[in-house]
């Protein structure tokens, strides 16, 4: 089938673009052409249930793309989280779809492209969340694509009779669609940046390391999620627990015969006791031999994706989203030493680590100490390692989002930066997490940094080197601080039992980059930190 734009220039008519599978009609919204619900793969049900994605059936005529397409099956958030996180449900089977915002829907524009992969612990979320509206990116000259992918047991169940990582394979299929089709929407397939938060960032880490995704993107942004893989036995136990409750064999064939609503309720029941801080059962990406041939962090530390430029970061108080909504902050504080012992078990560390955190943060309560320990173990240590391992010719940039939410108790929590990155702080769903009066000037600064990274490969501050520059987005103007987390990092390095060892894997020991002059005074350890313990733990972050 020919791939030609039917009507992409007149803004008095709805924009129409022809994809490899058929023509789609979008809408002009404030001068931006928006296409929603475009299928990139066939509905993953019936004979295709729990199978890798396949291309959609071509259609005749012009398919309307004015509304978001169906969202993948998912359980609702608990009441406490639903007050903070929007997660709309659009019914229907054709859930492997994507959306495009473009200022120039024609083949000659060749604009940079950003592809958004949402978070939600690999069990919730979708591209229809209003905070993820792509209008601001398109306004600033970027073609924005957001995608849906299979979640939970449908996307990450581990069965003896089905390939693993179906949801990650969906993401790969969406990126292949972008490579093949985005030029007709005004994008440049050679200038694609993938960006994602939490489970979306973890997914990008796996795609970075996958030989199957080579050449599909040029830059990557990992927000609050490191490259990691779950233990196969842990994911298999999740499936077995569901099978026990359902009274069916732990096979894809048996699960496919279960009512979808019952499957989701059972999944939610089994996963109820888990959280990123506390651990527990969870779905996750696993090493599978082809799409994920080895642990993504090991692959990247050994030199994987050497030409992909990276932007990496976290929020100052990630853990507050995991603990505050259900009242766990107060409970952890009451538990005191028992909670610290649990954190030591979760992080597999000895007494020197919590003692060190107490010395660095003398006024912090137990919940804050536990939260920061687990955040560093899960997020900051592996992202530091990843930044350190980048080759000198391919820079990495690191940020920290430090603005505290106006919602009591949340602080600078997990996912709070999203409304600022998308420049959507004014939408009601962003205010659920940020509270009223989020500063527009901070959204302007953060959003423009992401745009600049996609366009130029440089978000506007010093690239990562031995001085550990981190861009702080908080109260006041964004500024760069050197080594703001180095004292905590040194505790994990000492815990590793390898004093003086570099931040690297056994497979790769990259040469350290030359130290640059410091711009901001900061407390630094006396030497380059040794290798921290391997982080991850196989828990996708919500």
């Amino acid at each position: 089938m020919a791939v030609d734009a039917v009507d992409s220039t007149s803004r008095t008519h709805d924009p129409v673009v022809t994809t490899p599978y058929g023509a789609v009609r979008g809408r002009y919204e404030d001068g931006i052409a928006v296409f929603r619900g475009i299928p990139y793969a066939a509905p993953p049900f019936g004979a295709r249930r729990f199978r890798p994605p396949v291309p959609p059936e071509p259609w005749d005529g012009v398919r309307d793309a004015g509304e978001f397409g169906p969202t993948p099956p998912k359980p609702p958030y608990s009441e406490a989280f639903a007050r903070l996180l929007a997660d709309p449900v659009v019914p229907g089977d054709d859930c492997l779809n994507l959306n495009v915002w473009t200022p120039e829907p024609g083949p000659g524009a060749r604009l940079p492209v950003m592809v958004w992969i949402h978070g939600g612990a690999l069990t919730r979320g979708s591209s229809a969340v209003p905070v993820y509206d792509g209008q601001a990116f398109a306004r600033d000259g970027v073609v924005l694509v957001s995608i849906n992918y299979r979640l939970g047991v449908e996307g990450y169940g581990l069965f003896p009779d089905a390939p693993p990582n179906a949801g990650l394979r969906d993401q790969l299929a969406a990126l292949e669609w972008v490579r093949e089709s985005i030029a007709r929407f005004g994008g440049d397939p050679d200038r694609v940046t993938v960006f994602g938060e939490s489970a979306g960032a973890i997914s990008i880490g796996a795609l970075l390391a996958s030989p199957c995704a080579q050449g599909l993107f040029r830059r990557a942004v990992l927000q609050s999620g490191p490259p990691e893989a779950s233990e196969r036995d842990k994911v298999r136990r999740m499936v077995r627990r569901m099978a026990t409750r359902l009274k069916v064999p732990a096979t894809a064939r048996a699960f496919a015969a279960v009512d979808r609503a019952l499957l989701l309720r059972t999944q939610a029941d089994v996963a109820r006791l888990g959280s990123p801080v506390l651990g527990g059962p969870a779905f996750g990406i696993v090493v599978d031999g082809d799409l994920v041939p080895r642990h993504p962090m090991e692959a990247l530390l050994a030199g994987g994706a050497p030409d992909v430029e990276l932007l990496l970061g976290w929020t100052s108080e990630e853990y507050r989203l995991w603990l505050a909504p259900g009242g766990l902050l107060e409970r952890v504080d009451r538990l005191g030493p028992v909670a610290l012992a649990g954190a030591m078990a979760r992080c597999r560390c000895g007494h020197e680590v919590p003692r060190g955190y107490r010395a660095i943060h003398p006024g912090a309560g137990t919940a804050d100490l536990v939260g920061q320990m687990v955040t560093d173990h899960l997020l900051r240590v592996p992202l530091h390692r990843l930044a350190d391992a980048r080759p000198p010719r391919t820079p990495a940039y690191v940020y920290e989002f430090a603005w505290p939410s106006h919602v009591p108790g949340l602080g600078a929590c997990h996912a709070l930066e999203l409304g600022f990155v998308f420049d959507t702080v004014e939408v009601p769903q962003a205010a659920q997490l940020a509270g009223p009066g989020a500063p527009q000037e901070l959204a302007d600064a953060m959003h423009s940094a992401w745009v600049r990274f996609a366009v130029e490969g440089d978000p506007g501050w010093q690239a990562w080197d031995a001085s550990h520059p981190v861009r702080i987005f908080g109260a006041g103007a964004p500024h760069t601080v050197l080594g703001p987390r180095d004292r905590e990092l040194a505790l994990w390095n000492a815990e590793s039992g390898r004093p003086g060892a570099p931040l690297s894997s056994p497979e790769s020991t990259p040469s350290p980059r030359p130290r640059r002059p410091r711009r901001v005074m900061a407390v630094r350890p006396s030497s380059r930190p040794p290798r921290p313990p391997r982080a991850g733990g196989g828990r996708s972050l919500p």
Side-chain angles (χ1 to χ4, degrees), residues 391-468:
R393 71 177 186 277
T394 311
Y397 300 86
V398 177
Y399 75 90
E400 178 170 320
F401 183 81
W403 181 81
S405 170
H406 289 162
V407 176
L410 288 184
C413 69
H414 192 68
L416 181 58
E417 87 281 9
L418 294 174
F420 296 85
V421 168
F422 279 86
D423 193 9
T424 53
V425 291
E426 78 289 348
V427 307
Q429 292 80 5
Q432 289 177 232
L433 198 60
Q440 181 60 49
E441 61 272 17
L442 182 57
D444 293 340
M446 201 165 194
H447 172 76
S448 65
W450 265 238
V451 170
R452 179 170 167 172
F453 180 72
V455 174
E456 303 175 13
D458 177 354
W461 65 86
Q462 179 183 350
W464 187 262
D465 61 16
S467 68
H468 294 180

Side-chain angles (χ1 to χ4, degrees), residues 462 465-468 512-518 524-525 527-528:
Q462 179 183 350
D465 61 16
S467 68
H468 294 180
R513 298 184 184 177
R515 183 179 296 274
R516 297 184 183 181
R518 296 185 182 181
R524 303 268 306 151
S527 63
R528 174 78 172 224

Side-chain angles (χ1 to χ4, degrees), residues 479-534:
H479 58 284
T480 300
V481 176
L482 301 181
R485 300 285 175 176
D486 279 2
R487 288 187 294 170
E488 292 91 340
L489 185 65
L491 295 172
W492 296 104
N493 296 329
E495 179 69 19
S496 72
R498 295 184 57 199
L503 276 171
S504 63
S505 72
E507 295 85 358
S508 174
T509 306
S511 300
R513 298 184 184 177
R515 183 179 296 274
R516 297 184 183 181
R518 296 185 182 181
R519 300 179 182 178
V520 181
M521 293 299 294
V523 177
R524 303 268 306 151
S526 60
S527 63
R528 174 78 172 224
R531 179 186 176 184
R534 178 169 167 176

Side-chain angles (χ1 to χ4, degrees), residues 96 140 184 205 207 320 328 379 411 452 500 522 538:
L96 299 185
D140 294 334
R184 295 294 164 175
L207 293 168
R320 285 186 168 268
L328 284 175
L379 289 176
R452 179 170 167 172

Side-chain angles (χ1 to χ4, degrees), residues 104-467:
E104 296 291 339
R110 307 292 288 185
L111 298 171
V113 179
M114 297 187 74
V115 179
W116 170 246
I117 302 178
H118 69 80
L122 299 176
T123 58
R124 296 176 176 88
S126 78
S127 65
V129 173
V131 176
Y132 306 154
D133 187 280
Q135 181 82 16
F137 281 106
R139 173 201 69 199
D140 294 334
V142 172
V143 177
L144 192 284
V145 180
S146 60
I147 69 172
N148 286 337
Y149 57 95
R150 278 174 283 181
L151 303 168
V153 71
E154 300 277 358
Y156 297 92
L158 192 56
F159 300 102
D161 55 338
N165 297 324
L168 190 66
R169 295 175 193 275
D170 295 341
Q171 296 172 17
L172 180 66
L175 289 171
E176 290 170 340
W177 184 97
V178 170
R179 162 64 66 175
E180 186 176 6
S181 308
I182 204 63
R184 295 294 164 175
F185 292 83
D188 185 347
D190 294 322
R191 287 199 292 164
V192 173
T193 298
V194 290
F195 70 128
E197 185 265 348
S198 194
I202 291 170
S203 300
I204 290 171
L207 293 168
L208 269 170
S210 175
C212 302
Q214 289 185 5
L216 293 178
F217 50 88
R218 181 173 173 181
R219 301 182 177 109
V221 184
L222 281 69
Q223 301 173 214
S224 300
E228 68 175 34
S230 295
E231 297 175 5
R232 292 176 69 91
D233 285 346
K234 184 173 184 177
V235 179
R236 193 176 286 114
R237 284 196 301 272
M238 185 79 170
V239 173
R240 287 173 178 165
R241 291 182 185 184
M242 290 183 64
T244 298
R245 294 197 179 204
L246 293 166
K247 296 181 172 57
V248 300
T251 64
R253 181 177 180 180
F255 273 51
V258 175
D259 174 76
R260 248 187 259 175
L262 175 59
L263 200 63
L264 290 176
R265 288 197 302 270
T266 305
Q267 175 185 302
D269 287 342
V270 169
R272 184 168 293 150
L273 298 178
S275 83
V277 173
L278 303 176
F283 290 108
I285 295 166
V286 298
V287 174
D288 59 21
D290 64 333
L291 180 58
V292 187
R294 62 188 297 194
H295 191 288
M297 179 63 85
E298 292 177 358
L300 292 170
L301 294 183
D307 299 321
V308 179
E309 296 156 338
L310 299 182
L311 174 59
L312 316 167
W314 48 77
T315 72
S316 295
E317 299 169 293
E318 300 271 1
Y319 61 93
R320 285 186 168 268
L321 181 64
W322 309 328
L323 294 180
L328 284 175
L329 280 172
E330 294 80 7
R331 290 168 59 188
V332 171
D333 273 336
R334 287 197 302 269
L335 288 170
V338 175
L340 279 175
M344 289 166 55
R346 175 82 169 106
C347 300
R348 301 176 185 177
C349 67
H351 291 279
E352 291 304 315
V353 172
R355 286 173 186 162
Y357 275 78
R358 180 72 72 186
I360 295 169
H361 306 282
T366 300
D368 288 319
L369 290 177
V370 167
Q372 291 290 5
M373 279 178 56
V374 176
T375 297
D376 288 344
H377 176 71
L378 291 176
L379 289 176
R380 295 189 186 113
V381 168
L383 288 177
H384 270 86
R385 293 180 66 198
L386 179 59
D388 272 328
R390 302 308 293 164
R393 71 177 186 277
T394 311
Y397 300 86
V398 177
Y399 75 90
E400 178 170 320
F401 183 81
W403 181 81
S405 170
H406 289 162
V407 176
L410 288 184
C413 69
H414 192 68
L416 181 58
E417 87 281 9
L418 294 174
F420 296 85
V421 168
F422 279 86
D423 193 9
T424 53
V425 291
E426 78 289 348
V427 307
Q429 292 80 5
Q432 289 177 232
L433 198 60
Q440 181 60 49
E441 61 272 17
L442 182 57
D444 293 340
M446 201 165 194
H447 172 76
S448 65
W450 265 238
V451 170
R452 179 170 167 172
F453 180 72
V455 174
E456 303 175 13
D458 177 354
W461 65 86
Q462 179 183 350
W464 187 262
D465 61 16
S467 68

